[in-house]
Each structure stands twice: as structure tokens, then as C-alpha cells.
Amino acid sequence: MRAISGLWRWRHNPLRRATDLAEAWLAVAALLAVLVAAPVAGAVVGGLAQDALQESVRQQRSSRHLVTATVLAELGRAPLDADPEAAAGREPRTRVQADWTAPDGTARSGAVTAALDAPRPGDRFALWTDRQGRPAARPLDSATATTHAVLAGFGAALVSIGLVETVRRLIVWHMVRRRYARLEQAWLRVGPDWGRAGTGC
């Protein structure tokens, strides 16, 4: 808004320099670029991320299966949560030795992480597996995928705003350097005569 009001004030100002007007027009152009580029970049990146993530959701849902496993023995607390979408601290995660039936009907057993606080032999719990019955992470859900896509869109919009502002600042910096260089050249031409007016020299 300052640039627009500055343009209006400087229209007929006799002290206006060409670089002042150029800086004001540059600020207006940057503002328009931000108003156009940021939403477009956000929408494009968010849309592409949404498509890719929803495709990943479909693939994971078709390749992962929820089976029921039975605890054979407790192995201790899980040091790290293998599921990045699980809420940390909300449900206990314990490593157990368990057996389960794979989607193809074969019997499987192994050490897995169970959402049980104090597992005892014979306790049953839900376990995500792949088609071969190997333990797998819980599939991504649509709501989480949409959230990630929205965040990607916001990130792209912020990056585009930062890029436009960086380019504007670089151009202004270059213009100021050229202005100072011209001022220094003019001063070198006038400097030797400075203060000699009317001395008769």
C-alpha cells in the first residue's frame, strides 16, 4: 500500500528520481506477484500432493491387511514407535512374541509391537501385515493424507512469497548500488570545485 500511495504522491513531484519511481513500481509488481503466485503455487502443489498421497492411500489399503495376533510372551517396552502416525504417549507400545495367520492362510510368528499395556500369553491384538503376512505399518488414512497435502500447499505458497520478496530485495539492492555509484561519479566531477564559488580561482 505504501508503494501505491508513493506512486500517487510522486506523479508530479519535481524531486522524484527515476529510481524512486522504479522502486515503487517494483514493489507494486512484487505485491501483485505475491497475490497471484502464492495462491497458484499453493493450489498446484497441494493438488499434486493430494493426488499422490491419495494414490498412496489406495495402494496401502489394497496391500495391507488387519489380522488378529495372539501374544506368546512379552519382550519388553518398544524403544521407538514404528508407526509415525500413532499418537506418542497415548497408547502403550510393547514388544511381544506373537503368532498370527497371514492373509493367504499360512501361520506366522515373530517379534512385533503390540498396543497392550501389560500383555499376557493368550492376549489378542490387531496387527497390520502385508500380503505375505509380514508385519507392516498401519496404512495411511485419507484425512491424514489431505492434511499433509494442505500443509504442502501452504509451504509452497510461503516459499513463493519468500522467493518474490528475495528477488525484489536483490533488485532494490542492485538499484541502490548503481545509484550510489552514479552519485560518487557526480561527486568526483564536482568535488574539486566544492567551496570555491566566488573566490576568483
Side-chain angles (χ1 to χ4, degrees):
M1 297 313 282
R2 273 190 331 191
I4 294 172
S5 64
L7 279 173
W8 185 259
R9 281 197 321 269
W10 291 340
R11 285 179 310 151
H12 305 296
N13 190 329
L15 299 177
R16 181 193 71 200
R17 297 172 296 190
T19 55
D20 293 331
L21 196 58
E23 283 184 37
W25 277 114
L26 179 63
V28 171
L31 176 64
L32 292 176
V34 163
L35 293 176
V36 171
V40 169
V44 169
V45 171
L48 292 173
Q50 174 75 344
D51 292 344
L53 288 169
Q54 292 300 335
E55 177 61 26
S56 179
V57 167
R58 286 188 289 275
Q59 289 178 357
Q60 289 182 14
R61 283 184 177 168
S62 66
S63 65
R64 297 182 189 176
H65 305 276
L66 191 61
V67 299
T68 301
T70 304
V71 175
L72 299 177
E74 180 180 357
L75 299 177
R77 290 282 178 195
L80 294 174
D81 195 345
D83 186 357
E85 294 179 30
R90 289 195 180 171
E91 63 179 17
R93 307 294 288 181
T94 307
R95 290 200 40 89
V96 297
Q97 184 72 23
D99 61 7
W100 64 92
T101 302
D104 62 3
T106 58
R108 297 278 182 165
S109 66
V112 295
T113 303
L116 299 170
D117 189 19
R120 294 185 304 272
D123 286 350
R124 299 169 73 81
F125 63 96
L127 177 69
W128 285 100
T129 68
D130 61 14
R131 290 190 179 101
Q132 288 75 37
R134 295 179 297 230
R138 180 169 57 95
L140 184 67
D141 61 87
S142 294
T144 304
T146 300
T147 301
H148 291 326
V150 169
L151 291 175
F154 275 124
L158 291 176
V159 167
S160 67
I161 290 170
L163 185 61
V164 168
E165 179 60 14
T166 300
V167 169
R168 185 194 72 80
R169 286 178 182 262
L170 285 173
I171 293 172
V172 169
W173 175 76
H174 182 68
M175 290 169 66
V176 169
R177 286 195 58 182
R178 288 185 60 195
R179 183 187 305 155
Y180 285 152
R182 285 196 301 270
L183 182 62
E184 187 175 349
Q185 290 170 359
W187 181 253
L188 288 174
R189 287 193 302 270
V190 175
D193 295 331
W194 185 257
R196 295 184 185 181
T199 62
C201 297

